[in-house]
Amino acid sequence: MFRRTSIDSSIRATTPSNELIVKLKADVPTRRALQHLVLAEGTGDRTFAAAAPREAAFVPSTSALEMLVLSGAIESVEPLFDSPGIRRAAGSERLAFAVEPSGVGEEDTLHILTFRDEDAAERACAALQQDAKVEYVHRPAERYLMSPGGVGAKKGARKRSRSRRRTTGRLDPLESRQWGLGAVRWYHAQKLSTFKDARDVTIAVIDTGVDAKHPDLQGVVVEEKSFTTGPLKDTKGHGTHVIGILAAVRNNQIGISGICASRRILSLKALGPYSGVGYYRAIRYAIDQKVSVLNLSLGGPHDPTEEILIRAAIDSGTVVVAAMGNEFRAGNAPSYPAALPDVIAVGASTEIDRRASFSNTGPHITLVAPGENILSTVPTYASELAESTDYDAWPGTSMATPFVAATAALIRARRPKAKVGDVRNALVKGADKVSGQSGFTEELGHGRLNVRRSL
Protein backbone atom coordinates (compact mmCIF):
# COMPACT_ATOMS: atom_id res chain seq x y z
CA MET A 1 0.00 0.00 0.00
CA PHE A 2 1.27 3.46 -0.91
CA ARG A 3 1.39 6.12 1.82
CA ARG A 4 1.90 9.83 1.27
CA THR A 5 3.18 11.73 4.31
CA SER A 6 3.43 15.50 4.51
CA ILE A 7 6.05 17.22 6.65
CA ASP A 8 6.40 15.31 9.89
CA SER A 9 4.88 17.33 12.71
CA SER A 10 8.01 16.75 14.78
CA ILE A 11 10.17 18.42 12.11
CA ARG A 12 10.00 22.14 12.67
CA ALA A 13 10.85 24.78 10.10
CA THR A 14 14.38 25.98 10.75
CA THR A 15 16.96 28.37 9.41
CA PRO A 16 20.09 26.20 9.02
CA SER A 17 22.45 29.18 9.42
CA ASN A 18 21.05 29.73 12.94
CA GLU A 19 21.60 26.12 13.97
CA LEU A 20 24.51 24.18 15.39
CA ILE A 21 24.80 20.43 15.82
CA VAL A 22 26.45 19.56 19.13
CA LYS A 23 27.60 16.14 20.25
CA LEU A 24 27.72 16.17 24.03
CA LYS A 25 29.83 13.85 26.09
CA ALA A 26 27.84 11.50 28.32
CA ASP A 27 28.34 13.76 31.33
CA VAL A 28 25.77 13.57 34.14
CA PRO A 29 27.08 16.73 35.90
CA THR A 30 26.30 18.71 32.74
CA ARG A 31 22.70 17.64 32.95
CA ARG A 32 22.48 18.44 36.63
CA ALA A 33 23.99 21.88 36.10
CA LEU A 34 21.40 22.78 33.49
CA GLN A 35 18.62 21.42 35.67
CA HIS A 36 19.79 23.75 38.46
CA LEU A 37 19.65 26.67 36.05
CA VAL A 38 16.07 25.90 35.10
CA LEU A 39 14.60 24.56 38.30
CA ALA A 40 16.42 26.55 40.99
CA GLU A 41 13.24 28.26 42.13
CA GLY A 42 11.07 25.15 41.83
CA THR A 43 9.31 26.05 38.57
CA GLY A 44 9.19 24.02 35.37
CA ASP A 45 7.75 26.75 33.16
CA ARG A 46 10.61 29.20 32.94
CA THR A 47 12.73 29.33 29.79
CA PHE A 48 16.48 29.27 29.64
CA ALA A 49 16.52 32.81 28.27
CA ALA A 50 14.73 34.04 31.41
CA ALA A 51 17.21 32.47 33.81
CA ALA A 52 18.73 35.13 36.07
CA PRO A 53 22.54 35.44 36.20
CA ARG A 54 22.53 34.80 39.97
CA GLU A 55 21.44 31.22 39.20
CA ALA A 56 24.94 30.57 37.89
CA ALA A 57 25.83 29.93 41.52
CA PHE A 58 24.03 26.63 41.22
CA VAL A 59 26.36 25.48 38.40
CA PRO A 60 29.14 23.33 39.83
CA SER A 61 31.50 24.10 36.93
CA THR A 62 30.11 26.58 34.44
CA SER A 63 30.91 25.61 30.85
CA ALA A 64 30.59 27.51 27.58
CA LEU A 65 27.26 25.76 26.96
CA GLU A 66 25.90 26.79 30.34
CA MET A 67 27.08 30.39 29.89
CA LEU A 68 25.32 30.52 26.53
CA VAL A 69 22.16 29.31 28.22
CA LEU A 70 22.45 32.01 30.89
CA SER A 71 23.05 34.73 28.31
CA GLY A 72 19.84 33.93 26.49
CA ALA A 73 21.69 33.50 23.19
CA ILE A 74 20.26 30.02 22.75
CA GLU A 75 16.62 29.99 21.69
CA SER A 76 16.25 26.24 22.05
CA VAL A 77 18.10 23.04 22.80
CA GLU A 78 16.63 19.78 21.61
CA PRO A 79 17.79 16.27 20.79
CA LEU A 80 18.39 15.63 17.10
CA PHE A 81 16.28 12.51 17.45
CA ASP A 82 13.26 12.50 19.73
CA SER A 83 12.65 9.87 22.38
CA PRO A 84 9.50 9.11 24.39
CA GLY A 85 11.15 10.31 27.60
CA ILE A 86 11.96 13.70 26.12
CA ARG A 87 8.50 14.09 24.60
CA ARG A 88 6.96 13.68 28.06
CA ALA A 89 8.97 16.58 29.48
CA ALA A 90 7.41 20.01 29.06
CA GLY A 91 8.78 23.52 28.60
CA SER A 92 12.20 24.18 30.06
CA GLU A 93 12.29 20.72 31.62
CA ARG A 94 12.44 19.31 28.10
CA LEU A 95 15.57 21.36 27.50
CA ALA A 96 17.17 20.32 30.76
CA PHE A 97 16.57 16.63 30.22
CA ALA A 98 17.67 16.85 26.59
CA VAL A 99 21.33 17.03 27.53
CA GLU A 100 21.49 13.45 28.74
CA PRO A 101 21.55 10.77 26.01
CA SER A 102 18.18 9.02 25.99
CA GLY A 103 19.44 5.85 24.28
CA VAL A 104 22.55 3.79 23.91
CA GLY A 105 23.58 4.68 20.36
CA GLU A 106 26.20 7.29 19.60
CA GLU A 107 23.63 9.27 17.62
CA ASP A 108 21.61 9.74 20.85
CA THR A 109 24.23 12.23 22.10
CA LEU A 110 23.47 14.63 19.23
CA HIS A 111 21.58 17.88 19.88
CA ILE A 112 20.44 20.94 17.94
CA LEU A 113 21.13 24.40 19.32
CA THR A 114 19.08 27.18 17.72
CA PHE A 115 20.25 30.80 18.08
CA ARG A 116 18.70 34.20 17.59
CA ASP A 117 20.70 34.89 14.44
CA GLU A 118 23.62 33.71 12.34
CA ASP A 119 26.19 35.88 14.13
CA ALA A 120 25.23 34.44 17.50
CA ALA A 121 25.56 30.92 16.13
CA GLU A 122 28.99 31.68 14.68
CA ARG A 123 30.28 33.10 17.98
CA ALA A 124 28.84 30.18 19.92
CA CYS A 125 30.45 27.66 17.60
CA ALA A 126 33.89 29.06 18.36
CA ALA A 127 33.21 29.07 22.11
CA LEU A 128 31.75 25.55 22.22
CA GLN A 129 34.75 24.09 20.40
CA GLN A 130 36.72 24.85 23.58
CA ASP A 131 34.13 23.30 25.93
CA ALA A 132 35.44 20.11 27.57
CA LYS A 133 31.88 18.80 27.84
CA VAL A 134 31.35 19.03 24.08
CA GLU A 135 32.80 16.32 21.83
CA TYR A 136 32.23 18.35 18.67
CA VAL A 137 30.13 21.18 17.29
CA HIS A 138 29.46 22.21 13.69
CA ARG A 139 26.96 23.69 11.30
CA PRO A 140 25.21 21.17 9.08
CA ALA A 141 27.26 20.77 5.89
CA GLU A 142 25.56 21.56 2.58
CA ARG A 143 24.57 18.66 0.36
CA TYR A 144 24.38 18.98 -3.42
CA LEU A 145 22.66 16.98 -6.13
CA MET A 146 25.12 15.21 -8.41
CA SER A 147 23.28 15.85 -11.67
CA PRO A 148 21.81 18.83 -13.64
CA GLY A 149 21.65 21.84 -11.36
CA GLY A 150 24.08 20.27 -8.87
CA VAL A 151 27.76 21.10 -8.52
CA GLY A 152 29.85 20.43 -11.61
CA ALA A 153 27.15 18.83 -13.75
CA LYS A 154 28.02 18.62 -17.43
CA LYS A 155 25.76 20.94 -19.37
CA GLY A 156 24.31 20.47 -22.80
CA ALA A 157 24.13 16.69 -22.56
CA ARG A 158 20.42 16.32 -21.90
CA LYS A 159 17.97 15.11 -24.51
CA ARG A 160 14.24 15.48 -24.27
CA SER A 161 11.62 12.80 -24.53
CA ARG A 162 7.98 13.20 -23.61
CA SER A 163 6.77 9.86 -24.99
CA ARG A 164 4.81 7.60 -22.71
CA ARG A 165 2.47 6.18 -25.34
CA ARG A 166 1.50 2.55 -25.05
CA THR A 167 2.79 0.32 -27.80
CA THR A 168 1.58 -3.03 -29.07
CA GLY A 169 5.00 -4.65 -28.56
CA ARG A 170 6.27 -6.24 -25.37
CA LEU A 171 9.14 -3.86 -24.74
CA ASP A 172 8.82 -0.38 -23.29
CA PRO A 173 8.98 2.13 -26.17
CA LEU A 174 11.94 4.16 -24.83
CA GLU A 175 14.01 1.17 -23.70
CA SER A 176 16.06 1.28 -26.91
CA ARG A 177 17.48 4.61 -25.71
CA GLN A 178 18.61 3.18 -22.38
CA TRP A 179 22.15 2.40 -23.48
CA GLY A 180 23.19 1.77 -19.88
CA LEU A 181 21.15 -1.42 -19.62
CA GLY A 182 23.23 -3.12 -22.27
CA ALA A 183 26.48 -1.70 -20.95
CA VAL A 184 26.01 -3.27 -17.50
CA ARG A 185 24.85 -6.61 -18.99
CA TRP A 186 21.38 -6.23 -17.55
CA TYR A 187 19.74 -8.33 -20.27
CA HIS A 188 22.27 -11.12 -19.68
CA ALA A 189 21.53 -11.03 -15.95
CA GLN A 190 17.83 -11.64 -16.51
CA LYS A 191 18.61 -14.84 -18.43
CA LEU A 192 20.37 -16.42 -15.45
CA SER A 193 18.47 -19.46 -14.18
CA THR A 194 19.01 -18.17 -10.65
CA PHE A 195 17.88 -14.60 -11.38
CA LYS A 196 15.44 -13.28 -8.79
CA ASP A 197 13.97 -9.81 -8.98
CA ALA A 198 14.06 -7.41 -6.05
CA ARG A 199 10.34 -6.83 -5.74
CA ASP A 200 10.33 -7.19 -1.94
CA VAL A 201 13.69 -5.52 -1.24
CA THR A 202 13.29 -2.17 0.53
CA ILE A 203 15.32 0.69 -0.94
CA ALA A 204 15.41 4.17 0.59
CA VAL A 205 16.16 7.14 -1.67
CA ILE A 206 17.05 10.35 0.17
CA ASP A 207 16.58 13.03 -2.46
CA THR A 208 14.14 15.70 -3.67
CA GLY A 209 10.98 13.61 -3.49
CA VAL A 210 9.14 11.81 -6.27
CA ASP A 211 6.18 12.08 -8.61
CA ALA A 212 4.74 8.75 -7.50
CA LYS A 213 1.75 9.23 -9.81
CA HIS A 214 3.97 9.02 -12.90
CA PRO A 215 2.53 6.27 -15.15
CA ASP A 216 5.89 4.47 -15.20
CA LEU A 217 6.19 4.53 -11.38
CA GLN A 218 2.78 3.15 -10.48
CA GLY A 219 3.05 0.94 -7.40
CA VAL A 220 6.81 1.47 -7.08
CA VAL A 221 6.89 3.85 -4.10
CA VAL A 222 5.56 2.43 -0.84
CA GLU A 223 6.03 5.65 1.16
CA GLU A 224 6.77 9.34 0.64
CA LYS A 225 7.98 11.36 3.59
CA SER A 226 9.30 14.91 3.68
CA PHE A 227 11.99 16.11 6.07
CA THR A 228 12.13 19.63 4.61
CA THR A 229 10.06 22.79 4.99
CA GLY A 230 9.10 22.67 1.31
CA PRO A 231 6.21 20.88 -0.39
CA LEU A 232 6.08 17.10 -0.56
CA LYS A 233 6.06 17.10 -4.37
CA ASP A 234 9.28 16.78 -6.34
CA THR A 235 9.70 20.38 -7.51
CA LYS A 236 13.23 19.72 -8.86
CA GLY A 237 12.66 16.38 -10.57
CA HIS A 238 15.89 14.79 -9.36
CA GLY A 239 14.38 12.19 -7.04
CA THR A 240 11.90 11.08 -9.70
CA HIS A 241 14.78 10.60 -12.16
CA VAL A 242 16.78 8.50 -9.69
CA ILE A 243 13.82 6.31 -8.76
CA GLY A 244 13.00 5.70 -12.42
CA ILE A 245 16.51 4.33 -13.00
CA LEU A 246 16.08 2.08 -10.00
CA ALA A 247 12.65 0.65 -10.57
CA ALA A 248 10.50 2.08 -13.39
CA VAL A 249 7.87 -0.54 -14.25
CA ARG A 250 9.06 -2.97 -16.91
CA ASN A 251 7.11 -4.29 -19.87
CA ASN A 252 4.09 -2.09 -19.22
CA GLN A 253 4.51 -0.76 -22.77
CA ILE A 254 5.13 2.70 -21.32
CA GLY A 255 8.38 4.63 -21.32
CA ILE A 256 11.46 2.96 -19.83
CA SER A 257 12.54 -0.09 -17.82
CA GLY A 258 13.97 0.09 -14.31
CA ILE A 259 16.91 -2.07 -13.30
CA CYS A 260 15.24 -3.80 -10.38
CA ALA A 261 11.56 -4.35 -9.83
CA SER A 262 11.43 -3.22 -6.21
CA ARG A 263 7.95 -2.22 -5.12
CA ARG A 264 9.21 -1.08 -1.75
CA ILE A 265 10.88 2.26 -2.52
CA LEU A 266 10.91 4.80 0.33
CA SER A 267 11.17 8.34 -1.03
CA LEU A 268 12.60 10.45 1.79
CA LYS A 269 12.74 14.10 0.80
CA ALA A 270 15.61 16.08 2.38
CA LEU A 271 16.61 18.35 -0.52
CA GLY A 272 14.67 20.98 -2.45
CA PRO A 273 14.98 22.92 -0.17
CA TYR A 274 17.89 21.31 1.67
CA SER A 275 17.61 20.85 5.40
CA GLY A 276 20.67 19.63 7.28
CA VAL A 277 18.62 18.54 10.27
CA GLY A 278 16.04 16.97 7.95
CA TYR A 279 18.79 15.09 6.13
CA TYR A 280 20.10 13.60 9.37
CA ARG A 281 16.59 12.60 10.38
CA ALA A 282 15.96 11.02 6.98
CA ILE A 283 19.02 8.79 7.43
CA ARG A 284 17.86 7.85 10.91
CA TYR A 285 14.39 7.09 9.56
CA ALA A 286 15.89 4.78 6.93
CA ILE A 287 17.81 2.97 9.68
CA ASP A 288 14.66 2.62 11.79
CA GLN A 289 12.81 1.15 8.79
CA LYS A 290 15.59 -1.43 8.37
CA VAL A 291 16.02 -0.66 4.68
CA SER A 292 18.20 -3.06 2.73
CA VAL A 293 19.77 -0.45 0.43
CA LEU A 294 20.18 3.33 0.78
CA ASN A 295 20.70 5.41 -2.38
CA LEU A 296 22.41 8.79 -1.88
CA SER A 297 22.79 10.62 -5.20
CA LEU A 298 24.19 13.64 -3.38
CA GLY A 299 27.36 14.86 -1.74
CA GLY A 300 29.34 17.70 -0.23
CA PRO A 301 32.03 18.43 2.36
CA HIS A 302 32.72 16.20 5.35
CA ASP A 303 30.10 16.25 8.08
CA PRO A 304 30.84 14.44 11.37
CA THR A 305 27.17 13.92 12.17
CA GLU A 306 26.52 12.37 8.78
CA GLU A 307 29.51 10.08 9.38
CA ILE A 308 28.03 8.81 12.67
CA LEU A 309 24.68 8.11 11.01
CA ILE A 310 26.12 6.43 7.93
CA ARG A 311 28.21 4.22 10.21
CA ALA A 312 25.06 3.33 12.15
CA ALA A 313 23.25 2.48 8.90
CA ILE A 314 26.03 0.19 7.70
CA ASP A 315 26.35 -1.46 11.11
CA SER A 316 22.61 -2.15 11.00
CA GLY A 317 23.03 -4.05 7.71
CA THR A 318 22.09 -1.37 5.18
CA VAL A 319 24.11 -1.22 1.97
CA VAL A 320 24.90 2.48 1.44
CA VAL A 321 25.57 3.57 -2.15
CA ALA A 322 26.65 7.19 -2.83
CA ALA A 323 27.73 9.39 -5.73
CA MET A 324 31.43 10.18 -6.17
CA GLY A 325 30.62 13.75 -7.21
CA ASN A 326 30.79 15.85 -10.37
CA GLU A 327 33.59 18.25 -9.38
CA PHE A 328 36.57 16.76 -11.22
CA ARG A 329 37.08 19.94 -13.26
CA ALA A 330 36.49 22.13 -10.20
CA GLY A 331 39.21 20.74 -7.96
CA ASN A 332 38.18 17.10 -7.54
CA ALA A 333 37.67 17.46 -3.78
CA PRO A 334 36.43 14.31 -2.01
CA SER A 335 32.66 14.22 -1.76
CA TYR A 336 30.89 12.81 1.28
CA PRO A 337 29.31 10.43 2.16
CA ALA A 338 30.96 8.63 -0.81
CA ALA A 339 34.40 9.09 0.81
CA LEU A 340 33.35 7.47 4.11
CA PRO A 341 34.58 3.95 4.96
CA ASP A 342 32.45 1.04 3.70
CA VAL A 343 30.24 3.26 1.53
CA ILE A 344 30.01 2.01 -2.07
CA ALA A 345 31.25 5.05 -4.01
CA VAL A 346 30.08 5.26 -7.62
CA GLY A 347 31.65 7.23 -10.46
CA ALA A 348 30.14 7.87 -13.90
CA SER A 349 31.13 6.14 -17.15
CA THR A 350 30.37 6.95 -20.78
CA GLU A 351 28.98 4.90 -23.67
CA ILE A 352 32.54 3.99 -24.68
CA ASP A 353 33.49 2.85 -21.15
CA ARG A 354 35.55 5.89 -20.27
CA ARG A 355 35.32 7.96 -17.11
CA ALA A 356 32.87 10.81 -17.65
CA SER A 357 34.85 14.07 -17.75
CA PHE A 358 33.01 15.51 -14.72
CA SER A 359 33.24 12.39 -12.53
CA ASN A 360 35.39 12.69 -9.41
CA THR A 361 38.30 10.36 -8.80
CA GLY A 362 40.04 9.17 -5.66
CA PRO A 363 41.31 6.18 -3.68
CA HIS A 364 37.87 5.63 -2.15
CA ILE A 365 36.06 4.95 -5.45
CA THR A 366 34.48 1.48 -5.68
CA LEU A 367 33.37 1.26 -9.32
CA VAL A 368 31.76 3.22 -12.14
CA ALA A 369 28.38 2.89 -13.86
CA PRO A 370 26.63 4.63 -16.78
CA GLY A 371 26.34 8.33 -16.04
CA GLU A 372 26.02 10.25 -19.32
CA ASN A 373 22.81 10.80 -21.28
CA ILE A 374 20.81 8.61 -18.89
CA LEU A 375 17.13 8.55 -19.78
CA SER A 376 14.68 8.26 -16.91
CA THR A 377 11.40 9.49 -15.51
CA VAL A 378 10.85 13.10 -14.49
CA PRO A 379 7.66 14.59 -13.03
CA THR A 380 4.56 14.78 -15.18
CA TYR A 381 4.39 18.44 -14.14
CA ALA A 382 6.98 21.17 -14.70
CA SER A 383 10.04 20.80 -12.46
CA GLU A 384 13.14 22.90 -12.00
CA LEU A 385 15.82 20.62 -13.48
CA ALA A 386 13.89 18.88 -16.25
CA GLU A 387 13.73 20.38 -19.72
CA SER A 388 10.57 18.44 -20.39
CA THR A 389 7.93 16.44 -18.53
CA ASP A 390 7.58 12.66 -18.24
CA TYR A 391 11.13 11.68 -19.38
CA ASP A 392 14.49 13.40 -19.72
CA ALA A 393 18.12 12.32 -20.24
CA TRP A 394 20.66 13.63 -17.73
CA PRO A 395 24.37 13.28 -16.90
CA GLY A 396 25.84 12.87 -13.43
CA THR A 397 27.19 10.52 -10.83
CA SER A 398 23.68 10.89 -9.40
CA MET A 399 22.50 8.79 -12.35
CA ALA A 400 25.28 6.20 -12.01
CA THR A 401 24.52 5.60 -8.34
CA PRO A 402 21.06 3.98 -8.74
CA PHE A 403 22.48 1.53 -11.30
CA VAL A 404 24.65 0.16 -8.50
CA ALA A 405 22.01 0.50 -5.76
CA ALA A 406 19.56 -1.50 -7.88
CA THR A 407 22.17 -4.19 -8.46
CA ALA A 408 22.81 -4.34 -4.70
CA ALA A 409 19.07 -4.90 -4.26
CA LEU A 410 19.16 -7.75 -6.83
CA ILE A 411 22.04 -9.34 -4.90
CA ARG A 412 20.05 -9.07 -1.68
CA ALA A 413 16.99 -10.56 -3.42
CA ARG A 414 19.01 -13.61 -4.42
CA ARG A 415 20.96 -13.78 -1.14
CA PRO A 416 18.78 -12.20 1.60
CA LYS A 417 21.35 -12.92 4.31
CA ALA A 418 24.25 -11.39 2.39
CA LYS A 419 26.16 -8.98 4.62
CA VAL A 420 27.15 -5.49 3.54
CA GLY A 421 30.68 -6.71 2.85
CA ASP A 422 29.35 -9.62 0.78
CA VAL A 423 27.36 -7.26 -1.44
CA ARG A 424 30.34 -4.97 -1.89
CA ASN A 425 32.59 -7.91 -2.79
CA ALA A 426 30.08 -9.16 -5.37
CA LEU A 427 29.99 -5.74 -7.02
CA VAL A 428 33.79 -5.43 -6.98
CA LYS A 429 34.48 -8.94 -8.31
CA GLY A 430 31.75 -8.65 -10.91
CA ALA A 431 32.95 -5.34 -12.36
CA ASP A 432 34.41 -5.34 -15.88
CA LYS A 433 37.90 -3.97 -16.35
CA VAL A 434 37.62 -1.28 -19.02
CA SER A 435 39.78 1.26 -20.85
CA GLY A 436 42.93 -0.81 -20.51
CA GLN A 437 42.53 -1.48 -16.80
CA SER A 438 44.61 -4.24 -15.29
CA GLY A 439 43.52 -3.56 -11.72
CA PHE A 440 42.10 -0.90 -9.44
CA THR A 441 42.51 2.73 -10.55
CA GLU A 442 41.45 5.97 -8.89
CA GLU A 443 39.58 6.94 -12.07
CA LEU A 444 37.47 3.80 -12.55
CA GLY A 445 37.75 1.95 -9.25
CA HIS A 446 37.47 -1.80 -9.79
CA GLY A 447 35.83 -1.28 -13.17
CA ARG A 448 32.43 -0.73 -14.73
CA LEU A 449 29.37 -2.38 -13.19
CA ASN A 450 28.41 -5.78 -14.63
CA VAL A 451 25.05 -6.89 -13.22
CA ARG A 452 25.28 -10.45 -14.53
CA ARG A 453 28.71 -11.17 -13.07
CA SER A 454 27.81 -9.49 -9.78
CA LEU A 455 24.88 -11.90 -9.44
Side-chain angles (χ1 to χ4, degrees):
M1 182 180 178
F2 170 67
R3 303 196 301 276
R4 292 175 66 89
T5 308
S6 59
I7 297 174
D8 192 313
S9 61
S10 68
I11 308 301
R12 58 186 177 80
T14 61
T15 304
S17 60
N18 293 1
E19 291 176 336
L20 296 179
I21 302 299
V22 172
K23 186 174 188 295
L24 294 170
K25 295 179 180 177
D27 187 348
V28 173
T30 302
R31 177 192 178 201
R32 289 176 179 165
L34 292 183
Q35 283 179 312
H36 277 302
L37 285 175
V38 178
L39 306 174
E41 294 182 3
T43 175
D45 294 326
R46 297 167 55 239
T47 64
F48 278 123
R54 61 185 175 80
E55 292 174 354
F58 289 91
V59 183
S61 177
T62 306
S63 67
L65 175 59
E66 291 146 9
M67 290 303 294
L68 286 167
V69 166
L70 285 171
S71 72
I74 298 177
E75 289 191 341
S76 67
V77 181
E78 62 177 305
L80 182 55
F81 306 113
D82 281 339
S83 74
I86 289 174
R87 288 195 191 102
R88 283 196 299 269
S92 55
E93 285 183 318
R94 173 188 170 99
L95 305 184
F97 280 85
V99 301
E100 184 176 35
S102 57
V104 295
E106 191 174 16
E107 62 268 28
D108 293 304
T109 63
L110 298 167
H111 292 76
I112 311 164
L113 306 186
T114 304
F115 294 82
R116 291 190 305 265
D117 52 50
E118 185 173 353
D119 289 341
E122 185 173 353
R123 291 191 300 271
C125 188
L128 289 169
Q129 286 171 350
Q130 308 302 317
D131 193 330
K133 296 176 180 179
V134 171
E135 187 165 327
Y136 71 67
V137 57
H138 70 94
R139 291 186 179 180
E142 188 64 73
R143 285 293 171 263
Y144 307 101
L145 303 171
M146 296 303 171
S147 60
V151 177
K154 184 175 180 180
K155 297 180 180 179
R158 290 186 283 170
K159 296 180 181 179
R160 301 181 184 185
S161 180
R162 297 174 62 96
S163 174
R164 65 177 187 224
R165 294 176 297 172
R166 290 190 180 274
T167 64
T168 56
R170 182 184 69 83
L171 298 180
D172 298 320
L174 297 178
E175 189 177 312
S176 62
R177 287 183 49 193
Q178 293 181 269
W179 68 268
L181 298 181
V184 300
R185 309 299 187 261
W186 179 72
Y187 297 103
H188 295 80
Q190 289 185 300
K191 294 178 181 179
L192 291 170
S193 60
T194 54
F195 180 85
K196 183 178 181 181
D197 229 325
R199 186 178 186 88
D200 297 322
V201 177
T202 304
I203 306 172
V205 178
I206 298 180
D207 214 291
T208 64
V210 65
D211 177 6
K213 294 183 178 180
H214 192 293
D216 227 356
L217 298 178
Q218 294 294 311
V220 169
V221 180
V222 71
E223 182 178 9
E224 286 184 78
K225 191 175 182 69
S226 178
F227 294 87
T228 78
T229 58
L232 181 62
K233 70 185 295 186
D234 185 6
T235 56
K236 290 189 176 293
H238 191 272
T240 301
H241 201 274
V242 167
I243 290 174
I245 297 168
L246 279 168
V249 180
R250 293 186 210 136
N251 302 330
N252 60 351
Q253 300 180 10
I254 299 175
I256 64 169
S257 293
I259 296 164
C260 75
S262 172
R263 297 299 176 262
R264 293 198 56 79
I265 303 289
L266 272 60
S267 174
L268 308 180
K269 180 173 180 177
L271 295 93
Y274 174 71
S275 164
V277 170
Y279 173 58
Y280 304 141
R281 286 171 168 165
I283 299 174
R284 175 64 176 262
Y285 187 79
I287 296 170
D288 291 344
Q289 299 305 304
K290 297 179 171 55
V291 303
S292 184
V293 180
L294 174 58
N295 187 101
L296 297 170
S297 291
L298 49 79
H302 180 257
D303 184 309
T305 298
E306 176 191 62
E307 182 170 2
I308 287 174
L309 294 170
I310 293 297
R311 181 74 263 160
I314 293 171
D315 288 346
S316 74
T318 297
V319 177
V320 179
V321 187
M324 275 292 291
N326 300 343
E327 299 86 32
F328 181 78
R329 293 174 292 183
N332 197 33
S335 182
Y336 294 84
L340 294 175
D342 298 321
V343 171
I344 296 171
V346 185
S349 61
T350 69
E351 294 186 52
I352 58 172
D353 272 340
R354 305 280 185 180
R355 178 185 64 84
S357 60
F358 54 80
S359 185
N360 283 13
T361 66
H364 57 284
I365 188 172
T366 307
L367 75 171
V368 295
E372 269 196 344
N373 191 26
I374 304 301
L375 183 68
S376 187
T377 50
V378 291
T380 53
Y381 45 82
S383 55
E384 184 177 334
L385 300 180
E387 293 182 346
S388 183
T389 58
D390 302 332
Y391 300 90
D392 206 356
W394 292 358
T397 53
S398 271
M399 285 54 259
T401 301
F403 274 84
V404 177
T407 305
L410 290 171
I411 295 170
R412 278 275 172 88
R414 182 176 175 181
R415 300 168 56 196
K417 295 183 179 179
K419 297 180 180 179
V420 171
D422 297 331
V423 175
R424 180 187 179 87
N425 288 339
L427 292 167
V428 166
K429 292 179 179 179
D432 286 331
K433 299 295 185 290
V434 295
S435 301
Q437 269 188 301
S438 59
F440 175 88
T441 70
E442 293 192 5
E443 291 74 32
L444 299 166
H446 294 277
R448 190 252 307 119
L449 174 69
N450 182 319
V451 179
R452 183 188 183 281
R453 289 181 60 189
S454 294
L455 293 178

